[in-house]
Amino acid sequence: LLLLLLLLLLIIIITDKYIIFNLECQRFVLRKPSLSISEKGVISVQAALYGRADTDTCSEGRPSRVTTAPIYVLLRCDGKKECEINIRDVATPDPCVGTFKYLDTNYTCLPAIHVVACEGSLAHLFCGQVISVYGADYGRRDETTCSYRRFSFQTRNTLCSGPTNKVAELCNGKNRCTFRVGSSLFGDPCRNTYKYLELAYVCESTPCTSSSATRGALISVQAALYGRADTDTCSEGRPVGQLTNTTCSQPGTEDLVKTRCDGKKECEINIRDVATPDPCVGTFKYLDTNYTCLPASQSTVTLKQPHRL
Ligand SMILES: *[C@@H]1O[C@H](CO)[C@@H](O)[C@H](O)[C@H]1NC(C)=O
Ligand SMILES: *[C@@H]1O[C@H](CO)[C@@H](O)[C@H](O)[C@H]1NC(C)=O
Ligand SMILES: *[C@@H]1O[C@H](CO)[C@@H](O)[C@H](O)[C@H]1NC(C)=O
């Protein structure tokens, strides 16, 4: 799947120290010929600075146009659907007294599935394909989420943040994943507060290639066949005579695909390299490759990828 990421540029003018603003992911488009889905995504902050990096931005009517070295700030917004930042949290201490400052944030919206699971409950992640966890945080960042029948003292602490890699360790590379949300698994970032897990994950259609390219999953070819092993695969609109020979197999195909693809993140094979000489003239053939991604945790997913000639 090709994902069209929407790049949003947001510049907030800070006129006063109490402005709170939202980063919010609106819509994204999943691009595929006949399919166009719009959904909410999650935020991925690319860069954020507080201060002044040029003389033009937010300069209207301002006497002082002093440029300072940009102060890059860390925003805890990754993996969330929307994110509020209190400007006081980034504005103190003042990085450049006397200069009129602004907060400039570049972020993208990643198409992701957003899950909230309360402490003590079971979290379910499911993909038709392969789970890739984008971000997870166990704690409490607002008073309303998972607050039903809770004492107010249990929901009062909203500065409780516990980013965790545990969910990624448990679920990446699988197509389903269930675990109980609790401090025994994630550690306790804030005692006496009733916490929840907020996470975002994406379903990757090609398990060995990921946009973040950091997960290190590598192709391991299990089997490959060029020819025809059944009458159904790649049969649409073909005359029966081209489908009858189901014992057609190009010798050496598996070795060739293994040589080209094993240990790589992605690989391309020119169909001509396996198609000549023709192993069965008159039969409509396909390339069928089963592969897994290693190391992609215990559970592996097998994809069947027929290529039409
Ligand atoms: C955001 O992107 C714009 C345009 O590419 C760039 O001029 C600006 O410096 C970026 N802001 C940050 C904080 O990196
Ligand atoms: C790939 O796996 C499927 C399902 O197990 C099987 O039907 C098919 O024959 C396999 N392909 C090859 C080339 O071994
Ligand atoms: C299918 O093609 C192979 C390779 O050309 C050939 O050896 C075999 O006899 C054919 N089988 C049938 C049923 O025609």
Side-chain angles (χ1 to χ4, degrees), residues 125 127 129-133 171-177 201-202:
L125 282 68
C127 271
Q129 318 242 308
V130 178
I131 295 166
S132 176
V133 175
C171 301
N172 277 1
K174 299 184 180 175
N175 60 3
R176 58 179 69 235
C177 180
Y201 68 97
V202 294

Side-chain angles (χ1 to χ4, degrees), residues 2-308:
L2 289 174
L3 306 174
L4 184 69
L5 297 182
L6 184 66
L7 180 70
L8 301 171
L9 170 66
L10 188 84
I11 294 177
I12 300 294
I13 302 171
I14 292 147
T15 50
D16 133 294
K17 303 239 164 183
Y18 290 89
I19 285 180
I20 295 174
F21 72 93
N22 293 316
L23 294 181
E24 193 183 348
C25 275
Q26 291 299 335
R27 292 157 82 83
F28 66 89
V29 177
L30 263 179
R31 211 176 59 193
K32 217 187 162 194
S34 57
L35 190 73
S36 172
I37 304 170
S38 290
E39 266 182 52
K40 295 246 175 175
V42 293
I43 296 160
S44 170
V45 174
Q46 311 296 294
L49 81 82
Y50 178 68
R52 171 163 294 280
D54 61 57
T55 51
D56 294 331
T57 309
C58 300
S59 62
E60 222 176 278
R62 290 281 146 185
S64 162
R65 293 180 141 217
V66 184
T67 309
T68 60
I71 314 290
Y72 288 94
V73 293
L74 189 73
L75 301 180
R76 296 200 164 199
C77 294
D78 280 0
K80 297 185 185 172
K81 273 193 136 160
E82 60 176 66
C83 178
E84 281 191 353
I85 301 147
N86 189 327
I87 205 67
R88 275 172 301 179
D89 296 343
V90 293
T92 42
D94 193 327
C96 37
V97 180
T99 295
F100 185 60
K101 296 164 284 288
Y102 54 85
L103 180 64
D104 176 6
T105 308
N106 289 343
Y107 68 97
T108 57
C109 286
L110 296 180
I113 298 158
H114 182 251
V115 176
V116 174
C118 303
E119 187 173 348
S121 67
L122 287 179
H124 298 280
L125 282 68
F126 173 78
C127 271
Q129 318 242 308
V130 178
I131 295 166
S132 176
V133 175
Y134 184 69
D137 194 312
Y138 177 66
R140 173 165 293 279
R141 289 156 305 279
D142 64 57
E143 286 190 37
T144 51
T145 305
C146 295
S147 61
Y148 183 64
R149 289 189 170 167
R150 292 286 149 186
F151 298 110
S152 65
F153 77 85
Q154 290 183 298
T155 58
R156 206 180 293 140
N157 180 4
T158 58
L159 291 173
C160 173
S161 176
T164 175
N165 292 326
K166 265 272 151 29
V167 183
E169 284 169 22
L170 287 170
C171 301
N172 277 1
K174 299 184 180 175
N175 60 3
R176 58 179 69 235
C177 180
T178 303
F179 53 88
R180 189 165 296 280
V181 174
S183 301
S184 56
L185 184 58
F186 301 112
D188 195 344
C190 46
R191 285 187 176 209
N192 301 324
T193 291
Y194 184 62
K195 295 165 281 291
Y196 53 87
L197 176 73
E198 192 176 10
L199 69 94
Y201 68 97
V202 294
C203 292
E204 291 185 342
S205 50
T206 49
C208 300
T209 59
S210 67
S211 49
S212 46
T214 49
R215 286 174 210 100
L218 304 174
I219 295 168
S220 170
V221 173
Q222 311 297 295
L225 168 123
Y226 177 73
R228 175 163 292 280
D230 59 56
T231 52
D232 291 334
T233 308
C234 297
S235 61
E236 218 176 283
R238 289 284 148 186
V240 178
Q242 293 185 0
L243 310 172
T244 44
N245 189 345
T246 55
T247 55
C248 171
S249 165
Q250 178 75 289
T253 302
E254 193 170 308
D255 286 344
L256 185 131
V257 178
K258 280 186 168 169
T259 309
R260 298 274 175 90
C261 300
D262 273 358
K264 297 193 181 158
K265 283 197 158 172
E266 59 179 72
C267 81
E268 276 185 30
I269 296 161
N270 190 327
I271 203 74
R272 274 173 304 180
D273 297 346
V274 293
T276 43
D278 193 328
C280 43
V281 179
T283 292
F284 186 62
K285 296 163 285 287
Y286 53 84
L287 178 64
D288 176 10
T289 307
N290 289 345
Y291 65 95
T292 58
C293 290
L294 303 171
S297 88
Q298 265 54 51
S299 154
T300 52
V301 167
T302 305
L303 287 190
K304 193 169 175 179
Q305 295 204 313
H307 297 262
R308 275 172 198 269

